[in-house]
Amino acid sequence: MAAERIPLPGENARGLIRANTWVPAKRWSHLAVVFARKETRLYFNGHLAKIGPPTQAKGGTRFVIGCQGQANQVDFFFGDIYALRITRGERYRGSFTPEVRFVPDKPGSPHETLLLYDADHVVGDRVLDQSGHGNHGTWQR
């Protein structure tokens, strides 16, 4: 029997952050992570779920979604992701109403969209960046 809900985790360069929030299975949810200078904030459906320690600026690895990393493929995410947006600055600081569809922010905006993927823009194994920055990705299973 499949689980009806899963715990809400987030991860930064220091490790895993777990909220005491459960994500319902087989239902769309909105997850946002804000990597602020002094903390990492995890939001679920527009509400703050957890505050953790700040991340560290570390380079040398590719950005991976759905597992711990390109060379450390454990803790896989099983499910569907409709959209992913990465922006400059702290987009969320309090409760908010999640957008149904993401659109890129205007260049120069304090929350400029740096990367925007959605399920409507996948061609073969390529995920096409809708931000205008050309950060196209690769879809792997």
Side-chain angles (χ1 to χ4, degrees):
M1 182 171 150
E4 293 300 315
R5 56 190 189 146
I6 56 172
L8 178 65
E11 188 170 1
N12 66 22
R14 292 182 178 202
L16 192 62
I17 300 168
R18 284 188 209 272
N20 291 328
T21 302
W22 290 84
V23 179
K26 300 179 183 179
R27 200 162 82 201
W28 286 108
S29 300
H30 182 275
L31 170 66
V33 182
V34 175
F35 298 104
R37 180 168 284 158
K38 295 183 179 182
E39 64 192 13
T40 299
R41 296 189 303 275
L42 192 59
Y43 293 88
F44 180 70
N45 288 335
H47 300 283
L48 182 63
K50 181 73 174 184
I51 297 175
T55 193
Q56 298 170 330
K58 290 186 173 184
T61 186
R62 291 177 182 244
F63 183 72
V64 175
I65 301 161
C67 63
Q68 281 191 358
Q70 193 171 17
N72 189 11
Q73 296 184 2
V74 297
D75 291 335
F76 284 98
F77 171 78
F78 292 98
D80 293 322
I81 299 173
Y82 177 76
L84 170 79
R85 175 177 57 195
I86 298 176
T87 60
R88 182 181 322 277
E90 295 181 44
R91 178 174 291 275
Y92 306 117
R93 294 185 185 203
S95 294
F96 61 94
T97 301
E99 301 104 313
V100 174
R101 301 255 189 224
F102 295 149
V103 295
D105 298 294
K106 294 178 182 175
S109 165
H111 306 296
E112 181 182 357
T113 305
L114 302 176
L115 177 144
L116 178 57
Y117 294 156
D118 68 42
D120 294 333
H121 295 92
V122 177
V123 178
D125 68 346
R126 300 274 297 154
V127 183
L128 304 178
D129 178 17
Q130 301 302 297
S131 74
H133 290 284
N135 294 312
H136 307 303
T138 305
W139 179 270
Q140 298 179 355
R141 290 185 184 257

